Amino acid sequence: VPAIEAENLNFCYPDKTKALHDLSFSLPVGSKAAILGPNGAGKSTLLQHLNGLVMASEGVVRIFGEPVTRNNMNQIRRKVGLLFQDPDDQVFSATVWEDVTFGPRNLGLPQEEIERRCETALAAVGMREFKQKAPYHLSYGQKKRVAIAGVLAMQPDIILMDEPMAYLDPRGKDEVASLLQGLHLMGKTILIATHDVDFAAAWADQVMLMKEGKMLARGGTELLVEKR
Ligand code: ADP
Ligand code: ADP
């Protein structure tokens, strides 16, 4: 079964903005996929549907074959991690350590397991020495790394990232790129929304081009040739 399947997704915001227009696609387990499209194309809205944060007005999302419903959102979110575009929407605890451990603590994991996962996750984003810092005092790029660590600590099978490279310095971008490669080698299914055509062309094995809530094209990185 595919890791992710979306079938005829339609979504309108309460103010009647039609953000998704009959989207269908599927991604096999282990995919490295990138969604590209201008601001307002619906990329963020789509990602939010894929972990059950937002429910489609019409259509269905299936995760490893299981339809996402209001009743199983919690199980789905353990399988599908979502990095928000803006870390200020995701990083809210008093310290970095508290923030990264939040999800694993909610899972009720044993203390040693929580510590092991969170140390590993913070090391993966180069933020171990910031454990006791208040996220409030960190730079935007550092908060972004903390948000990524929080997603990694949950060890989801599917990882969705909304603009993971945005606002990172060149070194931060390189680190996220190698992190994504490492996650791929671990067998994770990864879908990112990005404006970075060069990165998508170099990294992705599947590309989705969106505009005005519609899927304009879906295929390999050859779709990006004209855009480069
Ligand atoms: P991008 O286009 O780079 O994805 P946006 O500026 O569209 O980023 O969105 C940033 C944040 O603002 C998102 O959390 C999104 O949900 C929210 N947002 C975008 N458009 C609207 C809108 N018309 N009304 C309310 N919130 C919005
Ligand atoms: P992208 O991530 O590709 O920039 P979004 O998914 O953020 O696109 O937005 C898709 C459309 O939905 C845009 O027209 C945006 O203005 C609108 N939108 C996003 N969030 C909201 C919201 N909370 N309320 C109303 N409209 C929104």
Side-chain angles (χ1 to χ4, degrees):
V1 295
I4 302 174
E5 280 175 286
E7 208 175 281
N8 303 110
L9 289 188
N10 284 277
F11 182 74
C12 280
Y13 280 105
D15 68 358
K16 306 272 192 280
T17 303
K18 179 121 194 187
L20 300 182
H21 206 101
D22 224 28
L23 289 191
S24 298
F25 64 90
S26 78
L27 292 176
V29 174
S31 297
K32 297 188 273 188
I35 312 176
L36 293 95
N39 291 137
K43 305 180 297 293
S44 303
T45 304
L46 174 60
L47 292 182
Q48 288 169 20
H49 278 72
L50 302 181
N51 85 331
L53 197 61
V54 177
M55 286 291 163
S57 314
E58 283 170 49
V60 60
V61 172
R62 289 189 204 87
I63 298 300
F64 299 116
E66 188 184 348
V68 179
T69 67
R70 290 185 200 283
N71 297 322
N72 65 4
M73 288 185 307
N74 289 334
Q75 291 101 289
I76 294 292
R77 277 181 216 161
R78 287 179 197 187
K79 293 181 192 152
V80 187
L82 171 61
L83 177 77
F84 292 4
Q85 182 177 337
D86 184 349
D88 288 327
D89 290 337
Q90 193 151 26
V91 173
F92 50 79
S93 302
T95 66
V96 166
W97 182 251
E98 223 180 282
D99 207 84
V100 175
T101 56
F102 179 82
R105 280 189 278 122
N106 262 358
L107 291 182
L109 296 170
Q111 187 60 28
E112 319 82 84
E113 173 71 8
I114 294 173
E115 289 180 10
R116 199 182 52 75
R117 282 184 180 210
C118 295
E119 290 284 354
T120 308
L122 282 171
V125 296
M127 291 294 289
R128 274 186 85 176
E129 64 271 44
F130 292 84
K131 266 186 260 182
Q132 298 314 326
K133 274 257 193 186
Y136 176 74
H137 293 300
L138 300 178
S139 75
Y140 195 87
Q142 289 172 327
K143 277 191 261 188
K144 192 115 193 178
R145 291 161 185 249
V146 172
I148 292 174
V151 171
L152 298 180
M154 294 297 280
Q155 300 187 349
D157 295 321
I158 299 173
I159 297 171
L160 312 173
M161 292 189 173
D162 200 348
E163 304 278 2
M165 313 286 197
Y167 304 104
L168 292 183
D169 56 25
R171 182 161 154 231
K173 284 183 190 176
D174 286 349
E175 285 170 359
V176 170
S178 56
L179 185 66
L180 289 175
Q181 196 54 28
L183 293 168
H184 171 68
L185 294 174
M186 287 167 73
K188 308 283 188 187
T189 303
I190 308 169
L191 174 59
I192 67 168
T194 182
H195 291 292
D196 191 333
V197 178
D198 291 331
F199 175 72
W203 171 79
D205 57 17
Q206 299 208 41
V207 171
M208 299 191 244
L209 303 183
M210 284 182 71
K211 192 177 178 187
E212 294 171 358
K214 298 186 184 112
M215 188 74 75
L216 291 187
R218 201 152 70 78
T221 49
E222 71 277 357
L223 289 176
L224 299 174
V225 171
E226 288 158 51
K227 303 195 80 194
R228 288 182 98 175

